């Protein structure tokens, strides 16, 4: 079929990719593209639109990640079923009834929200204006595909001082969000297509790897994280883990399990570990735990992080650190991908970091989130007889597990009846008795109001 996309010329590659993405998404949502309908190949669409194939790849990749399209290896791209829920257990698709959209929640315990009242808008605006006043034409050029070297050096220094990471700026690739970096990593990994994920895991990561056509194994966890004995049995070449604060369980992987994981990776040449360090900045008991990459002497850890949680979701600056063998593959075959972060944004973030604004902001946010964390725990004391509280002392969410076996669906529905939104821990179709309670975007009054309503909903 043909796609009648009218592109606005004069934009950069990121702008063109967004236009293609927006058009196809709107056609699917509007019912003009129906489930199972085949789309043009990336090569043909790129020729028709007179854009690079990489631009179409990015648009299709994002649509696959969000579930609007399905990638069928050897066949092409097809319109997906947006009402489907993907399952880790056996990698099965499970149709579910579509929930009615309700926007009348009094309190939303979102795990993704951040406290934007603390963001130093005036400082960010001042830096941005200063850069614009310099008439620096280079800020409007494409720049280095990996991101500006000055920013990469600053990020490397920050990761070394804060997380103990041992990496050089040349290993870093800066991109607009983790989804883009995972899409790029899929190209770099090539035929290494059997990946092990913690179960439960971060849904967007699962959907991304599934869209790449990877064989996926769901590895059970114990109190220390991914079980390495089960990982060994799976036959996977890659393990995707969140050692600092696993989402959604909140488990912090201890040093012994980390060493087991590295031993597994070092046993065979083509094994790698993807370490997603998504919210490691926020730890409220003791010092931050060094990242897994910091004890990796064999070049087995692929490190990925983001500023979205520490600064603001709209910043959309993430970074990927590649071990030397994969860095060589990237430079030989994929360095033609232009950076997806505008140089103006890179320079603004660079100044925000080197002038000490980020460190001061981070200290404020740690203090802010720690106060919310402690207040929420205090409010949840009456729940301890009927619930197990987990995920303490790190991140911006806690877990509530029903001791009486009530399912996550029952708990979510009971909270919704009180106009409170909580989140199921496992969205891959497996059974769970746990819900997530996020507090990052709420003030103390809202937390108190929300917990008061949850008492009516949850306590028997």
């Amino acid at each position: 079929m043909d796609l009648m996309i009218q592109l606005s010329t004069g934009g950069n590659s990121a702008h063109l990719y967004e236009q293609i993405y927006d058009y196809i998404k709107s056609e699917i949502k509007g019912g003009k593209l129906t489930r199972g309908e085949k789309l043009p190949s990336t090569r043909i669409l790129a020729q028709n639109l007179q854009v690079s194939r990489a631009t179409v790849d990015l648009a299709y990749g994002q649509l696959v990640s969000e579930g609007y399209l399905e990638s069928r290896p050897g066949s092409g791209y097809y319109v997906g079923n947006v009402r489907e829920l993907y399952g880790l257990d056996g990698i099965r698709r499970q149709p579910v009834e579509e929930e009615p959209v309700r926007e009348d929640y009094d309190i939303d315990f979102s795990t993704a929200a951040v406290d934007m009242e603390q963001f130093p808008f005036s400082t960010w605006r001042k830096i941005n204006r200063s850069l614009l006043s310099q008439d620096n034409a280079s800020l409007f050029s494409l720049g280095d595909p990996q991101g500006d070297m000055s920013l990469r050096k600053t990020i490397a220094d920050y990761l070394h001082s804060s997380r103990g990471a041992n990496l050089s700026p040349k290993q870093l690739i800066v991109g607009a969000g983790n989804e883009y970096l995972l899409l790029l990593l899929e190209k770099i990994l090539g035929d290494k297509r059997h990946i092990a994920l913690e179960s439960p895991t971060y849904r967007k990561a699962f959907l991304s790897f599934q869209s790449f056509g990877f064989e996926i194994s769901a590895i059970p966890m114990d109190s220390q994280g991914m079980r390495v004995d089960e990982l060994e049995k799976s036959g996977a070449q890659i393990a995707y883990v969140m050692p600092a604060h696993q989402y959604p369980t909140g488990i912090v992987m201890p040093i012994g399990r980390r060493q087991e994981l590295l031993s597994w990776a070092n046993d065979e040449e083509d094994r790698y570990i993807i370490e997603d360090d998504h919210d490691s900045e926020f730890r409220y008991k003791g010092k931050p735990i060094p990242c897994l990459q910091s004890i990796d002497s064999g070049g087995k850890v692929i490190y990925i992080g983001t500023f979205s949680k520490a600064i603001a979701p709209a910043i959309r600056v993430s970074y990927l650190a590649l071990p030397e063998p994969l860095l060589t593959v990237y430079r030989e075959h994929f360095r033609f991908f232009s950076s997806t972060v505008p140089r103006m944004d890179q320079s603004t973030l660079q100044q925000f970091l080197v002038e000490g604004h980020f460190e001061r902001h981070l200290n404020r946010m740690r203090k802010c989130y720690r106060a919310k964390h402690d207040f929420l725990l205090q409010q949840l004391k009456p729940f301890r007889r009927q619930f197990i509280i987990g995920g303490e002392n790190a991140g911006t969410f806690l877990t509530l597990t029903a001791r009486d076996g009530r399912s996550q669906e029952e708990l979510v529905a009971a909270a919704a009846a009180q106009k409170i939104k909580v989140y199921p821990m496992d969205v891959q179709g497996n059974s769970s008795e746990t819900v997530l309670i996020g507090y990052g975007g709420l003030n103390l009054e809202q937390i108190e109001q929300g917990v008061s309503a949850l008492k009516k909903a949850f306590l028997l």
Side-chain angles (χ1 to χ4, degrees):
M1 63 161 296
D2 292 328
L3 294 177
M4 306 302 293
I5 306 176
Q6 299 295 322
L7 296 180
S8 174
T9 59
N12 57 30
S13 60
H15 179 57
L16 294 174
Y17 131 73
E18 288 171 356
Q19 290 183 58
I20 298 169
Y21 161 83
D22 287 338
Y23 175 86
I24 296 175
K25 181 177 177 180
S26 65
E27 291 290 286
I28 294 173
K29 292 178 72 175
K32 296 178 182 178
L33 292 176
T34 58
R35 180 186 179 187
E37 195 167 350
K38 186 174 182 179
L39 271 68
S41 69
T42 56
R43 178 182 60 81
I44 291 175
L45 185 57
Q47 289 176 348
N48 291 344
L49 299 178
Q50 297 185 336
V51 299
S52 72
R53 190 171 178 181
T55 299
V56 178
D57 273 333
L58 284 173
Y60 275 18
Q62 183 65 30
L63 289 162
V64 169
S65 296
E66 294 183 14
Y68 289 99
L69 297 183
E70 293 178 3
S71 174
R72 301 179 187 175
S75 179
Y77 291 91
Y78 296 81
V79 177
N81 181 2
V82 297
R83 294 178 60 183
E84 284 188 343
L85 187 68
Y86 295 92
L88 272 178
D89 186 13
I91 317 306
R92 64 186 183 276
R93 290 185 173 91
Q94 298 186 353
V96 297
E97 291 185 9
E98 187 172 346
E99 283 190 66
V101 176
R102 57 179 300 161
E103 300 176 351
D104 57 343
Y105 292 105
D106 292 336
I107 301 294
D108 184 350
F109 282 104
S110 171
T111 60
V114 301
D115 192 335
M116 290 306 298
E117 290 185 5
Q118 305 294 325
F119 184 75
F121 290 100
S122 59
T123 300
W124 192 268
R125 186 164 51 246
K126 181 179 178 181
I127 294 172
N128 202 267
R129 286 175 176 172
S130 175
L131 290 169
L132 285 171
S133 69
Q134 296 172 18
D135 295 329
N136 188 347
S138 66
L139 292 178
F140 297 91
S141 63
L142 285 176
D144 194 305
Q146 290 183 235
D148 288 352
M149 176 55 78
S150 58
L151 176 58
R152 285 187 280 140
K153 184 179 185 307
T154 301
I155 293 174
D157 291 344
Y158 163 69
L159 292 176
H160 180 69
S161 62
S162 67
R163 308 290 296 120
N166 296 308
L167 52 88
S168 68
K170 71 176 184 178
Q171 293 176 259
L172 284 167
I173 301 172
V174 176
N178 286 17
E179 291 83 5
Y180 164 77
L181 292 177
L182 289 178
L183 180 63
L184 181 60
L185 184 59
E186 180 259 340
K187 305 292 184 187
I188 297 168
L189 289 171
D191 60 357
K192 298 176 181 63
R193 292 186 168 270
H194 187 177
I195 188 165
L197 303 181
E198 299 156 316
S199 182
T201 192
Y202 180 49
R203 185 171 185 266
K204 278 191 177 181
F206 167 72
L207 291 174
S208 294
F209 292 122
Q210 188 187 58
S211 75
F212 304 152
F214 281 24
E215 180 183 353
I216 300 175
S217 292
I219 308 299
M221 295 190 296
D222 57 23
S223 61
Q224 297 186 346
M226 179 182 279
R227 289 180 50 184
V228 179
D229 58 336
E230 295 294 333
L231 171 62
E232 186 71 54
K233 293 176 186 176
S234 72
Q237 299 162 294
I238 307 161
Y240 172 87
V241 295
M242 294 165 273
H245 189 232
Q246 203 273 344
Y247 186 92
T249 65
I251 291 173
V252 177
M253 186 181 290
I255 184 65
R257 182 58 54 85
R258 294 176 185 226
Q259 290 171 334
E260 288 182 50
L261 202 54
L262 286 172
S263 294
W264 167 84
N266 282 302
D267 281 347
E268 294 189 14
E269 185 179 352
D270 63 348
R271 287 178 176 174
Y272 288 98
I273 301 166
I274 301 173
E275 178 181 15
D276 189 339
D277 214 16
H278 62 103
D279 67 354
S280 60
E281 292 89 355
F282 302 117
R283 182 167 173 79
Y284 314 122
K285 185 177 181 181
K287 296 181 179 180
I289 297 174
C291 62
L292 180 64
Q293 196 274 346
S294 69
I295 58 171
D296 172 31
S297 59
K300 291 294 186 176
V301 175
I302 302 164
Y303 184 84
I304 187 167
T306 181
F307 288 103
S308 294
K309 197 76 174 179
I311 301 180
I315 296 298
R316 299 297 293 164
V317 178
S318 296
Y319 43 87
L320 176 72
L322 295 173
E324 287 294 338
L326 297 181
L327 182 64
T328 300
V329 174
Y330 163 75
R331 288 188 163 175
E332 288 180 355
H333 301 288
F334 303 107
R335 217 167 174 272
F336 65 88
F337 283 96
S338 299
S339 176
T340 51
V341 181
R343 296 196 70 195
M344 174 60 72
D345 293 347
Q346 293 186 51
S347 297
T348 303
L349 177 59
Q350 157 75 6
Q351 291 300 310
F352 192 73
L353 290 167
V354 298
E355 292 177 4
H357 303 298
F358 177 65
E359 183 177 0
R360 289 189 288 274
H361 173 66
L362 206 51
N363 288 335
R364 285 194 301 270
M365 297 311 298
R366 286 195 187 104
K367 183 178 180 180
C368 171
Y369 289 147
R370 173 63 187 266
K372 295 180 183 184
H373 166 274
D374 293 349
F375 184 75
L376 178 56
L377 282 176
Q378 181 69 27
Q379 293 291 305
L380 290 174
K381 276 188 175 181
F383 289 71
R384 290 189 179 275
R385 179 174 294 181
Q386 298 180 37
F387 288 84
I388 300 169
I389 300 174
E392 300 174 57
N393 300 313
T396 58
F397 69 90
L398 298 175
T399 63
L400 285 181
T401 303
R403 296 181 186 272
D404 61 4
R406 275 178 287 173
S407 70
Q408 59 182 10
E409 290 79 14
E410 290 177 285
L411 295 171
V412 169
Q418 297 293 328
K419 295 189 175 183
I420 304 297
K421 188 170 179 62
V422 298
Y423 293 79
M425 183 174 79
D426 197 314
V427 295
Q428 275 80 39
N430 302 314
S431 61
S432 174
E433 298 81 39
T434 303
V435 291
L436 309 181
I437 310 291
Y439 53 85
L442 303 176
N443 58 39
L444 299 186
E445 182 180 349
Q446 291 170 323
I447 291 173
E448 184 175 19
Q449 179 186 346
V451 173
S452 178
L454 289 181
K455 288 178 182 178
K456 300 176 183 177
F458 289 173
L459 299 187
L460 304 177

